[in-house]
Amino acid sequence: MPNVSHRSQTVPLSPFRKLIPLADRAKRAGKHIYHLNIGQPDIKTHPQAVAKFRQLPWQILDYSPSNGIDSYREALCGYYRRFDVSLTADEIMVTTGGSEAILFFMLACLDPGDEIIIPEPFYANYNGYAHIADVRVVPITCKIEDGFSIPSAEAFARKITPRTKAIVITTPNNPTGACYSRDELDRLSAIVRKHDLFFCADEVYREFSYDHPLQSILQLPDLEKHAIVIDSVSKRYSATGARVGSLVSRNLEVRESVDRFAKLRLSPPGLGQRLSEIMLEDDGSYLQGVKEDYHQRRDTVYQRLSRMPGVYSYKPGGAFYCFARFPIHDSEDFCRWLLEDFEYEGATVMLSPGPGFYATPGLGYDECRIAYVLNSEDLERAMDCLEEALKVYPGVDAEAMASGKLQA
Amino acid sequence: MPNVSHRSQTVPLSPFRKLIPLADRAKRAGKHIYHLNIGQPDIKTHPQAVAKFRQLPWQILDYSPSNGIDSYREALCGYYRRFDVSLTADEIMVTTGGSEAILFFMLACLDPGDEIIIPEPFYANYNGYAHIADVRVVPITCKIEDGFSIPSAEAFARKITPRTKAIVITTPNNPTGACYSRDELDRLSAIVRKHDLFFCADEVYREFSYDHPLQSILQLPDLEKHAIVIDSVSKRYSATGARVGSLVSRNLEVRESVDRFAKLRLSPPGLGQRLSEIMLEDDGSYLQGVKEDYHQRRDTVYQRLSRMPGVYSYKPGGAFYCFARFPIHDSEDFCRWLLEDFEYEGATVMLSPGPGFYATPGLGYDECRIAYVLNSEDLERAMDCLEEALKVYPGVDAEAMASGKLQA
């Protein structure tokens, strides 16, 4: 029998992948699972846009241009103008979800052996794409006590080598919910200009910034050659299955390089693009409503966590994630135990264990990511489960539990 | 300014990419272009399916499972049963077009430096995916005089090295239209079993076989561990923009390896999958109609080419391509000249030059690919252009023109 590739055996997996069979088994046994492990919201895709999409006249579902439907890219220019970012349609390349934009960025800008610096904890799938592109991920550790803010310029300088080609950030952040301030972005901007690096910002949660106006690296001056933005309609319009994202760059060489890979795969999805174009016609009221909904959920989760003995969470400013510290030694075991050995009123909660979001070994064992993708009522029930679980989990860290709480 | 990657500068490009600006210029100058260069048919996407798709009730366009919507994969089992191929839904993994299935096959089965043997001329984008996967393409040359049939087992044996991991074929073939016979497939089957190779067949044109019943490597015995099929709805249902393909394998290890890459990109397109599931409900009459249409176009192109002095074409048995030999020395120059310097009754024709379909340098300079994706009337006008062009093209090979024709 021919052997599969070695590289396929070493693809880094999702932090909660090992838990899925346990969750399935628990469900079969009749336990209800509150899924706070995944980024699949329960919010309806823009209903008016969906209705209009159904009426669209089309007869041939043909390839779109490899960089996306022209009118959709024009409409995206209008979207960016809403927050004072001026782009031409050429500067926007439509991709098959934000995921493909990440892969295209790595292939177009990095050669095998090149390095990217990413503040950790970070979206775990960057590891997988770096694996495909044979690129080395260099983590720089952010701390919960600092609200997962961007480390100092000196800390970055220590990570830079002749192979460093880019700094990659996610803002608002997955998994921490941190929204980087203008000051933090300016600091990173100075570093990438000084060391002549690409500055790739994954801004797919851009709209979900609860305490401050949204920031985009596209608003920063003097980054025309450096800035590459990953974007997506998935979270914004609760349309994760559309598989429509984009890669934005004002650097023509970058776009030409991306275009070679884009042409290879012929076209991003046609139906998703048409739906996305219609969703962009929204006057802002849908997005406003969704944002308010997440804002409320954020407050629910944060307040509940704040009241749990031994649990520490900083208040996440955006996205729909909270990355909290628990009074435990091994979050992988805790998440497993929640599914296998615990239930409260017939239910339990599924979280993502922290270590999978770190590249530095040994970190995240007292942390879990909570995705607040459920409605507030379900979220309250899920928090009930979590609170009860911490009272009876055998692996609880009594010292951490007793030491009281740090508060943000 | 940071530099883009070296690898992006060496992505092999489409055979006709350099011609696109010339075609655009000709159009702006008012010349009509018959596009026989691309695989974008003018046939309507299944109209009843589209109508039903519009009525589908859905509220959240969520991620599908990474291997595709369960009910769609179940429906695909029924599709394969129509030609006596028995599969379970687990053995079918839905991908973002056939393109992604090609990439997943290479990443899952091959390591950097591994080799795949592909009969040439072949679909040029295999080069691009091999470039991303750092896999070496080893061509084995097929000849037009043999109807581009599969070379002998001895010819394959000479290409096999310790790094050979797979044989890749396209049947019906792009760009030649060759449909490999059961005998040819059996011969390849013996080779892959003897040398313990994967046998990857790109069968996206499966339904378009005009002279013989369709063949799939999934019908061959004893290939459970070896056979990997690339499939797609793009051509079959004239829905290239759906971006819905699949990778089929009965080898669990292969599927588990593919699944690691599939999970990384989260989900194939949701709307395309839903449309595809509905298109599968067709009782066969749509496909029959499309096939008859292409059959007639095939006959038109073949008959017209056969009557042109100095032109040689074997009769393509399937897909919607014809790969013909012309009385010319340089098909790249000929295709350029057609766009820039020639017109007949206000129009000209755009073809794909042969060399881009070969990995062996120097081949294909007297050949072009014709995609018969236009209706018969337009095809006749396009053939008029081609016939007139050959009468006046300055680079015509007088000797080839005079030597009369080989006929298949």
Side-chain angles (χ1 to χ4, degrees):
Chain A
M1 177 173 126
N3 291 321
V4 296
S5 65
H6 297 291
R7 67 173 142 203
S8 67
Q9 300 309 295
T10 47
V11 177
L13 301 177
S14 128
F16 56 81
R17 188 171 183 204
K18 278 184 279 186
L19 298 173
I20 294 172
L22 312 187
D24 290 343
R25 201 177 309 145
K27 277 184 232 177
R28 281 196 299 275
K31 212 186 283 189
H32 181 75
I33 311 241
Y34 291 106
H35 280 281
L36 304 184
N37 56 305
I38 48 169
Q40 173 55 53
D42 67 349
I43 289 176
K44 283 181 191 162
T45 307
H46 197 306
Q48 291 80 14
V50 171
K52 193 167 171 190
F53 169 75
R54 289 201 170 92
Q55 304 303 319
L56 267 193
W58 58 269
Q59 296 193 308
I60 301 180
L61 181 55
D62 52 359
Y63 291 122
S64 79
S66 57
N67 62 344
I69 295 173
D70 292 354
S71 56
Y72 175 47
R73 290 182 299 111
E74 291 288 350
L76 280 169
C77 295
Y79 164 76
Y80 286 105
R81 267 196 301 276
R82 291 185 210 166
F83 48 95
D84 293 325
V85 168
S86 174
L87 291 169
T88 65
D90 282 348
E91 292 167 337
I92 303 168
M93 310 188 72
V94 181
T95 58
T96 306
S99 299
E100 190 181 63
I102 297 167
L103 178 65
F104 283 177
F105 152 66
M106 291 194 188
L107 293 175
C109 296
L110 299 144
D111 280 306
D114 282 348
E115 298 172 4
I116 49 177
I117 300 176
I118 316 184
E120 69 179 356
F122 58 77
Y123 177 53
N125 282 354
Y126 296 149
N127 285 318
Y129 286 108
H131 182 76
I132 291 177
D134 197 12
V135 159
R136 192 165 158 249
V137 170
V138 176
I140 184 161
T141 308
C142 303
K143 294 193 171 144
I144 193 168
E145 294 84 354
D146 305 328
F148 293 112
S149 62
I150 293 290
S152 68
E154 294 68 37
F156 275 90
R158 284 193 294 272
K159 299 285 184 180
I160 290 171
T161 77
R163 294 307 299 266
T164 308
K165 283 293 294 286
I167 293 174
V168 176
I169 63 167
T170 315
T171 182
N173 193 271
N174 173 7
T176 68
C179 290
Y180 302 139
S181 66
R182 177 62 187 252
D183 180 60
E184 288 171 288
L185 297 181
D186 280 337
R187 245 188 307 133
L188 290 174
S189 171
I191 297 169
V192 297
R193 283 182 285 125
K194 177 176 173 190
H195 296 278
D196 212 20
L197 308 177
F198 288 111
F199 187 6
C200 178
D202 182 338
E203 301 185 354
V204 302
Y205 298 96
R206 184 187 301 116
E207 299 290 332
F208 306 134
S209 170
Y210 309 118
D211 305 318
H212 302 286
L214 65 85
Q215 299 284 345
S216 167
I217 67 163
L218 296 169
Q219 297 165 325
L220 305 181
D222 305 323
L223 280 182
E224 288 74 15
K225 300 296 183 193
H226 306 266
I228 295 168
V229 163
I230 309 293
D231 211 337
S232 168
V233 307
S234 289
K235 314 295 182 174
R236 196 176 303 150
Y237 299 105
S238 211
T240 56
R243 310 314 297 134
V244 175
S246 51
L247 183 149
V248 180
S249 170
R250 295 185 173 109
N251 182 329
L252 178 63
E253 273 191 43
V254 167
R255 297 200 307 273
E256 285 177 346
S257 298
V258 169
D259 190 51
R260 290 162 173 256
F261 298 101
K263 283 215 161 49
L264 250 191
R265 60 76 165 114
L266 308 170
S267 162
L271 292 169
Q273 284 186 83
R274 290 166 207 211
L275 173 63
S276 298
E277 186 171 345
I278 298 171
M279 293 192 295
L280 276 179
E281 295 169 9
D282 179 61
D283 60 3
S285 56
Y286 173 83
L287 276 179
Q288 188 57 32
V290 173
K291 183 175 158 182
E292 282 165 15
D293 205 343
Y294 283 130
H295 191 155
Q296 191 190 339
R297 295 172 183 200
R298 190 273 309 256
D299 291 346
T300 299
V301 167
Y302 176 64
Q303 284 160 15
R304 290 296 304 267
L305 289 175
S306 300
R307 292 202 297 265
M308 292 182 203
V311 175
Y312 173 62
S313 168
Y314 99 108
K315 192 174 193 171
F320 41 65
Y321 302 103
C322 184
F323 203 75
R325 180 187 291 166
F326 294 88
I328 56 178
H329 292 296
D330 183 350
S331 49
E332 292 179 345
D333 178 72
F334 179 58
C335 292
R336 178 204 60 70
W337 175 87
L338 281 168
L339 296 169
E340 284 197 319
D341 300 325
F342 172 77
E343 71 177 78
Y344 174 68
E345 297 184 347
T348 191
V349 62
M350 186 165 174
L351 308 178
S352 295
F357 298 98
Y358 287 91
T360 302
L363 297 183
Y365 281 92
D366 55 357
E367 294 170 322
C368 295
R369 185 188 74 173
I370 295 172
Y372 41 94
V373 292
L374 304 181
N375 62 64
S376 285
E377 195 178 326
D378 281 350
L379 267 186
E380 291 280 5
R381 296 292 79 72
M383 290 296 115
D384 291 346
C385 285
L386 192 54
E387 191 163 354
E388 292 302 315
L390 286 168
K391 293 177 187 167
V392 295
Y393 173 54
V396 86
D397 177 343
E399 198 178 324
M401 185 71 104
S403 70
K405 309 172 63 62
L406 286 158
Q407 279 297 355
Chain B
M1 177 173 128
N3 292 320
V4 297
S5 66
H6 297 292
R7 67 174 142 202
S8 66
Q9 300 308 296
T10 48
V11 177
L13 301 177
S14 125
F16 56 82
R17 189 172 182 203
K18 278 183 280 186
L19 299 173
I20 294 171
L22 312 187
D24 290 343
R25 201 177 309 148
K27 276 185 231 176
R28 281 196 300 273
K31 213 186 278 188
H32 182 77
I33 309 232
Y34 293 106
H35 280 280
L36 304 184
N37 56 305
I38 47 169
Q40 174 54 54
D42 67 348
I43 289 175
K44 284 181 192 161
T45 307
H46 198 305
Q48 291 79 16
V50 172
K52 193 167 171 190
F53 169 73
R54 289 200 170 93
Q55 304 303 319
L56 266 193
W58 57 271
Q59 297 193 308
I60 301 180
L61 181 54
D62 53 358
Y63 291 122
S64 78
S66 57
N67 63 344
I69 295 173
D70 292 355
S71 56
Y72 175 47
R73 291 183 297 112
E74 291 288 351
L76 279 168
C77 295
Y79 164 76
Y80 287 105
R81 267 197 301 275
R82 293 186 208 164
F83 47 94
D84 293 326
V85 167
S86 175
L87 290 168
T88 65
D90 282 346
E91 291 167 338
I92 303 168
M93 310 187 73
V94 181
T95 57
T96 306
S99 299
E100 190 181 63
I102 295 166
L103 177 64
F104 282 177
F105 152 66
M106 291 194 189
L107 293 175
C109 296
L110 298 145
D111 280 305
D114 282 349
E115 297 171 3
I116 49 177
I117 300 174
I118 316 185
E120 68 179 357
F122 58 78
Y123 177 52
N125 282 354
Y126 295 150
N127 286 318
Y129 286 108
H131 182 74
I132 291 177
D134 196 13
V135 159
R136 191 164 160 250
V137 170
V138 176
I140 185 162
T141 309
C142 303
K143 296 197 170 140
I144 192 168
E145 295 85 353
D146 304 328
F148 293 109
S149 61
I150 294 290
S152 68
E154 293 69 36
F156 275 90
R158 283 193 295 272
K159 299 284 184 180
I160 290 171
T161 77
R163 295 307 299 266
T164 307
K165 282 293 294 287
I167 293 174
V168 176
I169 63 167
T170 315
T171 181
N173 193 270
N174 173 8
T176 69
C179 291
Y180 302 139
S181 66
R182 177 62 187 251
D183 181 58
E184 288 171 287
L185 297 181
D186 281 337
R187 245 188 308 133
L188 290 174
S189 170
I191 296 169
V192 297
R193 283 181 285 122
K194 180 176 171 191
H195 296 277
D196 211 19
L197 309 176
F198 288 111
F199 187 6
C200 177
D202 181 339
E203 300 185 354
V204 301
Y205 298 96
R206 183 189 299 117
E207 299 290 330
F208 307 133
S209 170
Y210 310 117
D211 306 318
H212 302 286
L214 65 86
Q215 298 283 344
S216 168
I217 66 164
L218 294 170
Q219 296 164 324
L220 304 181
D222 305 323
L223 280 181
E224 287 75 13
K225 301 295 183 194
H226 307 266
I228 294 167
V229 163
I230 309 293
D231 211 338
S232 169
V233 307
S234 288
K235 314 295 183 178
R236 195 179 303 150
Y237 298 106
S238 211
T240 55
R243 311 314 298 136
V244 175
S246 51
L247 183 149
V248 181
S249 170
R250 295 184 172 109
N251 182 329
L252 177 63
E253 273 192 43
V254 168
R255 298 200 307 273
E256 285 177 345
S257 298
V258 169
D259 190 51
R260 289 161 172 258
F261 298 102
K263 283 213 162 52
L264 250 191
R265 61 76 165 115
L266 308 172
S267 159
L271 292 168
Q273 285 187 82
R274 289 166 207 211
L275 173 64
S276 298
E277 185 171 347
I278 298 172
M279 293 193 295
L280 276 179
E281 295 169 9
D282 180 63
D283 61 2
S285 57
Y286 173 83
L287 276 180
Q288 187 59 34
V290 173
K291 183 175 159 180
E292 282 165 14
D293 204 344
Y294 283 130
H295 192 154
Q296 191 191 340
R297 296 172 183 201
R298 190 273 310 255
D299 291 347
T300 299
V301 168
Y302 177 66
Q303 285 159 16
R304 291 294 305 267
L305 290 175
S306 301
R307 291 203 298 264
M308 292 182 202
V311 176
Y312 173 63
S313 170
Y314 100 106
K315 191 174 194 170
F320 42 65
Y321 302 104
C322 183
F323 204 75
R325 179 187 290 168
F326 293 89
I328 56 178
H329 291 297
D330 184 349
S331 48
E332 290 179 345
D333 178 73
F334 179 57
C335 292
R336 178 204 60 72
W337 175 88
L338 281 168
L339 295 170
E340 286 198 318
D341 301 325
F342 172 78
E343 72 176 78
Y344 175 69
E345 297 185 344
T348 190
V349 62
M350 187 166 173
L351 309 178
S352 295
F357 298 99
Y358 287 92
T360 302
L363 297 182
Y365 280 92
D366 56 356
E367 294 170 322
C368 295
R369 185 189 74 171
I370 296 171
Y372 42 95
V373 291
L374 303 180
N375 62 65
S376 285
E377 195 178 326
D378 282 349
L379 267 186
E380 291 280 5
R381 296 294 77 74
M383 291 295 117
D384 291 345
C385 286
L386 193 54
E387 192 163 353
E388 292 302 314
L390 286 168
K391 292 177 187 169
V392 295
Y393 173 55
V396 85
D397 178 343
E399 199 178 321
M401 186 70 107
S403 71
K405 310 171 63 61
L406 287 158
Q407 280 297 355

